[in-house]
Amino acid sequence: MPVAAVARRLGVAPSTLRTWDRRYGLGPSRHTGGKHRRYCAADIGRLELMQRALLRGASTAEAARYALQQIPKSSGSAPQAPPQPLPPPAEQLTAAQNGAAARRLRSAAVALDGRAVQQTLDDAIGAAGVIDAWEGVISPVLDACGAGWPGTPAGVEVHALLAESVLTAVVRATPVLEHPRNQRPVLLSRAPEEPDPLPLHVLAAGLAGRRIGCQLFGLPLPGPALSAAVRRSSPAAVVLWADHGGKADPALFPEVSRGGLRSRLFAVGDGWRGPALPERVELLPGLRMATDRIEYVLVGK
C-alpha cells in the first residue's frame, strides 16, 4: 500500500508516517517501479503495534522500539508468539526537549528560513503529536514572537512566516477520515471577534487523530450564518473557540441552538471566562481538555 493509503487506514497524517520512517526506521520495505515504496502487511502490522503502544502512553521512541521488537524488520511477517506487554506509560516530552525544539523553531523563523521552520514543525508534531507540540513548542514561540524578541530583528514578517508555516504543518498533520468514530460531525468555529484561527485548527487535528470527524470553519461566521450551518449539518456537538479579552458573546449559543437542536454545546478558550454562559454550555478552558472531553462525550474511550 502507498503511504497515503496507509495514513488513511491508521488515521494519521502522511507526514507523521514519513517522520516515523526517518527517525525510527518504521517505513515501507517494498519498492515498486523505481523510487516508489509500498508498505507490506508486516510494515502495517508494526505501525498498528506502535499506535497501540502510543495509546497506552508510551513515548514515540518507546512505541517504535516495541513495534520493531515484536515484528523485526527481517522477519517480514507478524510474530507467532503473543506480543510482549506494552511498555509502561511515559511522561510527555521534557521541558529540555521542548525548549530545544522551540529554540530551533525561533532561530529558523528569525532567519526567515521557511524550509527549516517546516522541518522543525514536522519533527515536533511527529515526535509528540499536534496537541503536545502546540503546547510545548509552537504556542510559546508564537507568543514570544508576538511580544517581540529583544535583541533580534524579528518583525511582522517573522510572525507572518511562522503563523503560515504552523497552519500548513497542522493541516498537513490532520488526517482525512474515511470512517470516523462519530456518526455526526463536530462543528468547530471561532467567535466572530476572535482573531486567531490556529488553535481551532490544532483542535481539529487533535480530534482527527482520535478519529473524531469535524466540520471546521476557519473563518469566523456571524451569528446567522453559524446558525444556518448548524441547522444544515446537524452536528453532534458545536464548539465555539474564543481566547482573547473575555469579550465573547454568550448569546451565540442560544442562536445556534434554536429549533430544538440536540447538539452538545462547548465553549473552548479563555475568552469565555468573563461572560456568563447558558446552562447547556460546557466550558473547556484548554485544547487538551477539549480534545479529551469531546471524545469522551461523543464516543467514550
Side-chain angles (χ1 to χ4, degrees):
M1 296 176 65
V3 62
V6 176
R8 288 194 298 270
R9 172 171 173 164
L10 298 177
V12 301
S15 61
T16 299
L17 294 183
R18 295 188 184 99
T19 298
W20 291 352
D21 181 12
R22 185 174 65 253
R23 298 179 69 137
Y24 308 112
L26 285 170
S29 56
R30 291 187 177 179
H31 294 255
T32 59
K35 295 183 178 180
H36 296 289
R37 303 176 69 193
R38 297 290 184 266
Y39 288 81
C40 67
D43 298 329
I44 297 171
R46 276 187 288 271
L47 292 171
E48 290 174 339
L49 287 172
M50 182 173 181
Q51 278 195 317
R52 197 177 306 162
L54 289 171
L55 290 173
R56 287 284 300 273
S59 69
T60 310
E62 288 175 331
R65 285 196 299 270
Y66 167 75
L68 287 168
Q69 288 171 357
Q70 299 309 306
I71 309 180
K73 275 280 190 176
S74 59
S75 71
S77 60
Q80 298 301 314
Q84 297 300 311
L86 294 175
E91 298 296 328
Q92 298 176 4
L93 293 182
T94 65
Q97 290 171 314
N98 285 333
R103 287 190 293 273
R104 289 195 299 272
L105 183 59
R106 167 182 167 167
S107 297
V110 170
L112 294 182
D113 187 343
R115 184 175 182 276
V117 169
Q118 285 290 341
Q119 187 63 65
T120 304
L121 290 169
D122 285 348
D123 287 346
I125 291 172
V130 174
I131 299 293
D132 282 350
W134 172 262
E135 292 183 346
V137 178
I138 300 171
S139 183
V141 174
L142 282 168
D143 289 344
C145 180
W149 288 318
T152 69
V156 66
E157 72 283 357
V158 175
H159 190 273
L161 170 66
L162 188 56
E164 290 293 334
S165 298
V166 170
L167 178 59
T168 300
V170 170
V171 171
R172 186 166 56 240
T174 305
V176 178
L177 304 178
E178 291 186 356
H179 303 290
R181 295 160 65 196
N182 50 317
Q183 293 183 350
R184 294 186 293 148
V186 177
L187 189 147
L188 303 176
S189 183
R190 51 186 166 127
E193 302 81 11
E194 175 61 35
D196 187 5
L198 290 178
L200 199 62
H201 285 273
V202 172
L203 178 57
L207 290 170
R210 302 187 186 191
R211 304 189 65 79
I212 304 297
C214 298
Q215 174 64 63
L216 170 64
F217 291 96
L219 294 175
L221 297 177
L226 182 59
S227 180
V230 170
R231 289 195 305 271
R232 294 177 63 183
S233 60
S234 298
V238 176
V239 179
L240 299 185
W241 164 262
D243 195 45
H244 289 79
K247 298 179 181 178
D249 186 2
L252 276 173
F253 287 100
E255 185 168 358
V256 302
S257 59
R258 290 175 181 171
L261 175 73
R262 296 183 179 179
S263 304
R264 294 293 294 264
L265 302 175
F266 297 97
V268 181
D270 288 338
W272 297 106
R273 288 183 179 271
L277 293 168
E279 185 176 350
R280 285 186 55 201
V281 180
E282 185 173 350
L283 175 62
L284 302 172
L287 296 181
R288 183 182 301 279
M289 180 184 294
T291 305
D292 292 341
R293 180 61 178 164
I294 293 168
E295 179 188 23
Y296 179 80
V297 168
L298 266 60
V299 298
K301 287 191 177 181

